[in-house]
Amino acid sequence: MSAGRIELSPVRFDERAQRLAVSVLQSGQISQGPMVEALEARVSAIAGTRHAIAVNNGTASLIACLRALGVGRGDEVITSPFTFVATVNAVLAVGATPRFADISSGTFDILPDSVEALVNARTRALLPVHVFGHPADMTSLCAIADRHGLAIIEDAAQALGAAHCGRAVGSFGLGSFSLYATKNVTTGEGGVVTTDDDSIAQSLREFRNQGLNAQRESVGFGLNLRLTDLQAAVGLPQLDDIEETTRRRTENAALLSDGLTDLDGVIAPSGRDGDRAVHHHYTLRVLDDARVSRDALQAALTVADIASGVYYRSLVSDLPHVNAATPRAGDECPSARAVTTQVLSIPVHQHLSGHDIERIVRVIRDVST
Ligand SMILES: *Cc1c(COP(=O)(O)O)cnc(C)c1O
C-alpha cells in the first residue's frame, strides 16, 4: 500500500518565486544586480554579520574564504573527515593541506581535543562543518583558534539560520553557505560568504569579479564567481520564509524522535543544549545491536516509497585524490569511521505532512522491533 513517494529533499518554488523570476526576465538585468543585492541583505541579516557576498556556489565560497585569508601552499587546515567532498576539495584547490580531526558520534562535529592535537606550526585555519544543520562546538573551537592564532572558516553549507549559544553560524569566523538544490534554501546553484570584516568583504567582492574594484579598475587576481539575478530572485521568498521552514523542520524532527524512541540500537540524532539546528538532514544511527541493519532499514524504506540517503558512506580523508595530494593526511578518525557504517538520513523537510511522518515512523518501527 503506497500513498505516494516521500522525497528526501524536494525542490518547490511557489508563485512568489515564479513572479520574481519573470520580473528579472522582463527587466533586462539578468546577471548580478539588485536581486543579488537583496539576497545578500537577507543572508547578512540571518547570519547577523555586516557583510554577505554572494557567489556562484558553495564550493567557490569556501575557496574564496581560504584565499581571502591567504591560506595556500604549505599551510594546514584542520577539518572534518565526515563531510561532503567539497569541503576538502576547496582546501586542495588553494594548495593547502587538509588535516582531519575525529568527530563526536553523537553530534557528528569535530572534537575539540582531536583538533588541538593536530595543531602545529603550519596550521593556519580551522574549517569546522555544521553538518546536517547542527552547529559545531564553536565555543571550544574559537577558544582553540584564539590560543593558537588560527583563522576560522565555517562550512555552513547545510546550516543557514542555525545558531550556537544564541549566535548565528557564519558569524564566528568567515561563514560559507551553499544554495545548492538540496539545501534548506536553494537557488539551484549558489553560495554566500558572511563576514564582519570590511576589508575582507571588499577583497571578496573584488575576487568574485575578476579582481575589479567598484570603479572597475583591476586591483589584483580574481575570477568570475558571480551569482545571477535570475538565481537570486527565486531564493528571496525562501529567505523570507526561513523561520517558518526551520520551525517546521524542528517540529518534524521532534515528531520523528518521539516516534522512534525505545528502539534497540536505533539512535535518533541529538543536538547540543542551547543550540538551534536547522535540520538539513535527520540522521539516524543504526548500531550493531539493532534488530535490523542500516542497509536493510534503507531497503525497507525504499520498498515503502520513502527516500533516504547515506551521508556519508565514506570519509573524505580516505579518498585517493585526497591522500595523493596530501601525504600528511590519513589522520586516524576511529569514531568518524565507525559512524559511516551506521548513518541513515530520512526525510525531515518542511513539506512533510503529519501522515507522512506517521508512515516513516511505522516502517522503521515495523522492521526494528
Ligand atoms: C553542499 C555542500 C558544499 C558545497 O556547496 P555547493 O554549492 O554544492 O558547491 C560544501 N560543504 C558542504 C558540507 C556541503 O553540504
Side-chain angles (χ1 to χ4, degrees):
M1 187 198 77
S2 172
R5 179 169 174 77
I6 302 179
E7 295 168 283
L8 192 59
S9 308
V11 176
R12 296 187 193 161
F13 293 108
D14 65 15
E15 319 74 54
R16 291 172 299 166
Q18 292 169 20
R19 267 199 306 274
L20 282 165
V22 169
S23 80
V24 172
L25 296 178
Q26 292 169 335
S27 75
Q29 171 71 59
I30 193 100
S31 58
Q32 182 182 301
M35 294 291 179
V36 169
E37 223 169 279
L39 177 137
E40 291 175 335
R42 282 167 175 74
V43 173
S44 78
I46 292 165
T49 56
R50 285 169 54 76
H51 304 281
I53 301 96
V55 294
N56 52 356
N57 62 66
T59 311
S61 90
L62 285 170
I63 293 170
C65 288
L66 289 158
R67 277 199 55 97
L69 294 169
V71 177
R73 209 158 294 283
D75 295 329
E76 293 187 0
V77 177
I78 301 175
T79 190
S80 172
F82 187 70
T83 182
F84 182 52
V85 66
T87 313
V88 70
N89 281 343
V91 175
L92 296 176
V94 300
T97 302
R99 299 296 307 268
F100 298 101
D102 205 358
I103 63 165
S104 155
S105 50
T107 49
F108 307 125
D109 58 331
I110 44 176
L111 292 163
D113 286 348
S114 181
V115 169
E116 194 141 31
L118 292 171
V119 174
N120 67 74
R122 293 146 75 91
T123 311
R124 279 293 313 280
L126 306 183
L127 177 48
V129 181
H130 302 304
V131 71
F132 307 147
H134 287 269
D137 180 1
M138 295 314 297
T139 303
S140 305
L141 295 174
C142 288
I144 293 170
D146 279 350
R147 233 176 354 259
H148 301 281
L150 307 174
I152 291 185
I153 299 164
E154 302 170 64
D155 185 341
Q158 304 179 359
L160 184 62
H164 169 74
C165 296
R167 184 168 158 191
V169 304
S171 70
F172 293 87
L174 281 186
S176 175
F177 296 92
S178 167
L179 304 172
Y180 177 64
T182 58
K183 312 292 161 124
N184 290 19
V185 169
T186 184
T187 57
E189 300 281 358
V192 187
V193 180
T194 51
T195 180
D196 279 328
D197 186 309
D198 297 349
S199 82
I200 285 182
Q202 190 187 331
S203 77
L204 284 163
R205 290 199 175 94
E206 291 161 358
F207 182 67
R208 79 166 162 192
N209 191 29
Q210 307 287 7
L212 302 178
N213 67 12
Q215 290 72 48
R216 295 194 60 76
E217 301 154 341
S218 176
V219 292
F221 175 70
L223 293 169
N224 176 359
L225 308 180
R226 296 184 303 265
L227 188 70
T228 68
D229 259 24
L230 192 52
Q231 292 168 296
V234 301
L236 296 181
Q238 297 167 70
L239 290 165
D240 290 339
D241 290 349
I242 194 165
E243 284 295 321
E244 175 65 6
T245 299
T246 299
R247 192 190 65 71
R248 290 206 197 151
R249 284 175 175 261
T250 304
E251 196 174 284
N252 292 344
L255 289 170
L256 288 167
S257 293
D258 283 349
L260 299 173
T261 49
D262 70 38
L263 295 179
D264 289 338
V266 178
I267 313 294
S270 57
R272 209 173 276 103
D273 282 348
D275 281 0
R276 172 186 150 102
V278 294
H279 305 280
H280 171 62
H281 279 311
Y282 181 94
T283 302
L284 297 167
R285 280 192 305 137
V286 184
L287 307 184
D288 288 343
D289 61 339
R291 304 276 160 80
V292 64
S293 71
R294 187 264 309 272
D295 293 346
L297 177 54
Q298 181 166 39
L301 288 164
T302 303
V303 167
D305 224 1
I306 298 168
S308 62
V310 174
Y311 306 110
Y312 295 95
R313 197 177 289 278
S314 57
L315 301 181
V316 295
S317 49
D318 286 341
L319 295 171
H321 79 277
V322 177
N323 267 315
T326 61
R328 297 185 61 119
D331 302 278
E332 281 319 304
C333 298
S335 297
R337 186 154 281 119
V339 158
T340 59
T341 66
Q342 301 167 344
V343 281
L344 183 64
S345 299
I346 62 174
V348 71
H349 59 79
Q350 66 271 25
H351 307 296
L352 291 177
S353 66
H355 181 249
D356 291 336
I357 305 237
E358 284 165 24
R359 250 177 81 194
I360 296 165
V361 166
R362 196 175 336 112
V363 170
I364 296 173
R365 292 198 70 87
D366 281 352
V367 292
S368 307
T369 50

